[in-house]
Amino acid sequence: MAEVLQSLDALDALKAQAPEAPKHVQKLDKFGRAYATGKRKDAVARVWVRPGTGKIVVNDRELEVYFARPVLRLIIQQPFTAAARTGQYDVVCTVSGGGLSGQAGALRHGISRALTYYEPELRGPLKKGGFLTRDSRVVERKKYGRAKARRSFQFSKR
């Protein structure tokens, strides 16, 4: 059972024992890589980051081949730009599910998390840029008695 405090001094002693903020430590596998999972919509990206020349391989293909649209490549490069680490890390990832836009967002989320595992001091700039937050918006399900999720069938008087 919890002990009963008899004075305000005892309360101050308890306050002094409060745990500190968690210290983030480097998390690497036996090959010296940081692993993280990124998600967006229905897409899931498994990302491995290690020091290198800035080469990004997606599903055994080059970034330019897999993501042909420049906007998607720009989205994927955002964490490196925010952390001022452009061209310093190699990324190997597998993405599945969703469309190309969701996969690019999942890859950005995974790269951001993997960078914080490799360099915990990068957590501040990446968090400030909003790259560590999982975008929780997903497609709304279709309801019965409706044409789509919210759209009704056309009304007819006769």
Side-chain angles (χ1 to χ4, degrees), residues 6-150:
Q6 300 296 331
S7 68
L8 290 176
D9 295 331
L11 187 63
D12 285 338
L14 277 178
K15 187 177 177 183
Q17 296 173 0
E20 295 180 17
K23 300 277 190 237
H24 296 284
V25 294
Q26 189 179 43
K27 298 177 188 172
L28 301 179
D29 63 5
K30 63 182 178 180
F31 301 109
R33 305 174 301 186
Y35 169 78
T37 305
K39 295 181 180 181
R40 168 110 176 31
K41 293 187 178 179
D42 272 345
V44 179
R46 297 166 42 201
V47 180
W48 289 268
V49 171
R50 66 172 183 210
T53 59
K55 184 178 175 186
I56 300 177
V57 178
V58 183
N59 290 354
D60 297 325
R61 287 188 263 174
E62 294 292 322
L63 179 70
E64 291 76 20
V65 175
Y66 195 86
F67 292 106
R69 282 190 273 165
V71 174
L72 298 180
R73 292 198 297 262
L74 184 73
I75 288 172
I76 293 167
Q77 295 290 343
Q78 281 178 333
F80 295 115
T81 309
R85 298 289 189 272
T86 307
Q88 295 183 18
Y89 288 98
D90 285 343
V91 176
V92 177
C93 65
T94 58
V95 291
S96 62
L100 285 179
S101 177
Q103 288 181 352
L107 186 51
R108 180 179 83 166
H109 184 227
I111 288 172
S112 303
R113 289 180 63 185
L115 279 176
T116 59
Y117 292 152
Y118 202 90
E119 285 188 64
E121 61 272 7
L122 293 180
R123 185 170 173 83
L126 291 174
K127 183 117 176 124
K128 187 177 179 185
F131 302 123
L132 296 178
T133 305
R134 196 262 200 231
D135 191 354
S136 60
R137 296 175 296 170
V138 292
V139 178
E140 190 174 349
R141 77 172 190 89
K142 184 195 176 303
K143 278 66 165 199
Y144 58 87
R146 299 256 171 188
K148 293 169 45 175
R150 297 190 179 192

